[in-house]
Amino acid sequence: MSIKETEEGIMEDETEQRGSMKSFLWHGGSVYDAWFSCASNQVAQVLLTLPYSFSQMGMASGVILQIFYGFMGSWTAYLISVLYVEYRSRKEKQNVNFNNHVIQWFEVLDGLLGPYWKAIGLTFNCTFLLFGSVIQLIACASNIYYINDKLDKRTWTYIFGACCATTVFIPSFHNYRIWSFLGLAMTTYTAWYLTIAALVHGQVEEVTHSAPTKPVLYFTGATNILYTFGGHAVTVEIMHAMWRPRKFKYIYLMATLYVFTLTIPSAASVYWAFGDELLTHANAFSLFPNSPWRDAAVILMLIHQFITFGFACTPLYFVWEKVIGMHDTNSILLRAITRLPVVIPIWFLAIIFPFFGPINSAVGALLVTFTVYIIPSLAHIFTYRSASSRENATEKPPAVIGGWRGAFVVNVVVVVWVFVVGFGLGGWASMTNFIKQVDTFGLFAKCYQCPPRH
């Protein structure tokens, strides 16, 4: 049975699922659900650190690299979607049934290229998603502190770690329908709050915009932008939750175009208003005065970070379920209990490395580079390296890029650029900055970048 036949076969189920309010809110799988999931997952707490990146690299570089990495990320997300369809088509021709089984990226690599690729994909993907969850938890503590500073950020991390652990009860990406919609709405409000508030506030007295000044700062900021548009490590899981996965291939690009309307105006406006002050304020909220509008943005961002924590953690839950043999169980409670051990190391790492901002760049350079840029590009090259595989490909490259030759050239450019600039220069810069934060504040910092108490 082909993937096309599979999609046609579930259309009746799709119609039935849309019939009740519970299904409408809880069970998604449409193109729109996938778009909301991609856009919501792509821009969360990083929205608050992009002005910090602009202060490191300057306005022009910040805007240009956002666009450049946005399109590069859309290309590699497209490659992941193509490889997923290829893998699933081959397996369904062998009558493999995926009922009660969520296909994941490492399984795609295993099926198409073998166990070594599986091991590499599993290692990078899980490590990236682990630290992606850590970053969301750190961001929760960093944000709530600007509403209530009676507790230090470490204590808030304990509290939000317990709150985020409740994501173990969300079975799969099917069940993020209402959450994805709300998450994107909340981020949209926050982005436009930052933009409008910065313009209304105006430039601070004697504002300076000296960036770029140091290579280490420039490449740290550039790597944070690379991280921003590298949120497609959950692409396969989102596709598997779709009723018709073939329709995914351009969804991530459409999501990226919308994300541009949030990230570019907000980062540019805040940097214009505060300039070099952002170099010591990784969280943009810290520079705005208290107001009901700001508090609303903080609260909405907190809720969205809870949602994004679930996005990053759910694939890890799937992996853990498969390891212990609980992935095919239908009991939500039993699955939730077995998932809890996944949250514990995330909680612990968030307490060790509370460096909101610098940790984004470190994760971007060391993990995002390989997970969602280099590995998908190389996997596409090796999957279709033979003439027969190209001839029998389920999805052929678009003619606009020059077919197979154009796809090969683009893939090579992505691999070389990301390895040299992202992993090489970005890794050096981000780790230098990260080590500086450790030397300045220490591991297990109780309240990272908190203003002194009077």
Side-chain angles (χ1 to χ4, degrees):
M1 180 183 293
S2 68
I3 190 171
K4 183 176 181 181
E5 291 170 337
T6 303
E7 291 170 358
E8 290 172 351
I10 62 175
M11 286 179 68
E12 184 177 343
D13 293 337
E14 174 187 341
T15 303
E16 292 175 359
Q17 288 162 352
R18 289 173 174 172
S20 67
M21 180 58 69
K22 179 182 177 181
S23 295
F24 176 75
L25 297 175
W26 180 248
H27 194 87
S30 69
V31 169
Y32 302 103
D33 291 311
W35 184 85
F36 277 112
S37 293
C38 289
S40 178
N41 183 55
Q42 189 174 157
V43 56
Q45 52 75 35
V46 76
L47 188 72
L48 306 176
T49 64
L50 285 174
Y52 170 65
S53 296
F54 272 46
S55 72
Q56 295 172 316
M57 59 193 310
M59 184 79 76
S61 292
V63 173
I64 291 169
L65 283 181
Q66 278 203 45
I67 296 171
F68 177 71
Y69 282 130
F71 284 116
M72 184 182 288
S74 299
W75 169 253
T76 53
Y78 165 77
L79 297 181
I80 293 171
S81 72
V82 167
L83 294 172
Y84 167 85
V85 171
E86 183 70 41
Y87 167 79
R88 186 163 176 175
S89 297
R90 292 184 186 182
K91 288 298 180 182
E92 288 178 343
K93 287 176 182 176
Q94 301 168 10
N95 295 321
V96 176
N97 193 317
F98 291 109
N99 291 337
N100 295 324
H101 183 92
V102 177
I103 298 173
Q104 295 189 266
W105 176 232
F106 68 91
E107 293 169 323
V108 173
L109 292 174
D110 184 29
L112 296 177
L113 296 168
Y116 292 110
W117 284 82
K118 173 186 176 180
I120 294 169
L122 181 63
T123 301
F124 276 102
N125 211 49
C126 288
T127 309
F128 168 45
L129 292 171
L130 178 76
F131 278 95
S133 304
V134 168
I135 288 170
Q136 299 306 322
L137 199 50
I138 294 170
C140 286
S142 178
N143 290 341
I144 192 63
Y145 185 79
Y146 298 114
I147 291 182
N148 185 339
D149 61 359
K150 293 180 181 179
L151 298 177
D152 58 73
K153 291 182 181 179
R154 186 199 296 167
T155 304
W156 280 119
T157 303
Y158 293 140
I159 294 170
F160 277 99
C163 294
C164 289
T166 59
T167 57
V168 298
F169 290 100
I170 302 177
S172 74
F173 283 93
H174 276 300
N175 312 111
Y176 274 96
R177 163 172 275 187
I178 188 63
W179 294 113
S180 296
F181 172 78
L182 291 176
L184 189 58
M186 293 168 185
T187 306
T188 300
Y189 172 88
T190 303
W192 286 105
Y193 160 76
L194 292 173
T195 303
I196 296 170
L199 295 175
V200 171
H201 181 280
Q203 291 185 312
V204 296
E205 188 176 353
E206 297 181 356
V207 65
T208 55
H209 300 88
S210 58
T213 56
K214 298 178 181 178
V216 67
L217 293 178
Y218 185 90
F219 288 107
T220 299
T223 310
N224 186 41
I225 295 177
L226 177 78
Y227 168 84
T228 301
F229 294 98
H232 44 290
V234 296
T235 296
V236 170
E237 289 82 0
I238 292 174
M239 285 187 70
H240 193 80
M242 292 179 68
W243 293 312
R244 290 187 285 276
R246 276 181 178 272
K247 292 193 173 184
F248 181 88
K249 57 185 178 181
Y250 299 123
I251 287 176
Y252 196 86
L253 174 61
M254 297 299 105
T256 298
L257 294 176
Y258 179 77
V259 167
F260 284 154
T261 69
L262 306 181
T263 57
I264 295 176
S266 60
S269 299
V270 175
Y271 178 54
W272 170 81
F274 297 100
D276 290 349
E277 283 191 32
L278 285 158
L279 288 170
T280 54
H281 295 80
N283 190 328
F285 279 144
S286 64
L287 291 170
F288 289 94
N290 290 334
S291 73
W293 299 104
R294 192 200 71 163
D295 291 350
V298 171
I299 292 169
L300 292 177
M301 186 56 72
L302 284 171
I303 299 172
H304 186 209
Q305 282 157 354
F306 164 81
I307 298 167
T308 310
F309 180 94
F311 269 118
C313 234
T314 298
L316 296 176
Y317 296 152
F318 293 155
V319 173
W320 178 245
E321 289 169 357
K322 292 171 184 177
V323 168
I324 63 175
M326 295 295 294
H327 185 59
D328 58 351
T329 183
N330 292 321
S331 171
I332 293 178
L333 180 60
L334 190 57
R335 290 179 72 180
I337 293 171
T338 59
R339 289 173 169 188
L340 280 173
V342 176
V343 181
I344 296 173
I346 296 170
W347 210 346
F348 186 63
L349 289 168
I351 294 167
I352 297 177
F353 306 114
F355 311 124
F356 185 71
I359 194 173
N360 295 24
S361 297
V363 171
L366 303 181
L367 297 173
V368 174
T369 48
F370 286 93
T371 305
V372 295
Y373 292 102
I374 294 175
I375 292 176
S377 298
L378 290 176
H380 191 266
I381 290 172
F382 281 94
T383 298
Y384 299 110
R385 63 187 180 276
S386 67
S388 60
S389 62
R390 294 193 294 272
E391 184 179 348
N392 298 316
T394 306
E395 182 75 39
K396 293 178 173 56
V400 69
I401 67 160
W404 289 108
R405 288 188 178 182
F408 176 80
V409 171
V410 173
N411 288 337
V412 170
V413 169
V414 170
V415 170
V416 173
W417 176 275
V418 173
F419 185 79
V420 174
V421 178
F423 176 70
L425 296 173
W428 159 73
S430 60
M431 288 310 299
T432 300
N433 189 37
F434 190 82
I435 293 169
K436 179 182 177 182
Q437 306 304 313
V438 174
D439 292 340
T440 304
F441 297 95
L443 299 176
F444 298 96
K446 190 173 184 180
C447 208
Y448 176 68
Q449 286 190 341
C450 295
R453 290 182 178 276
H454 298 290

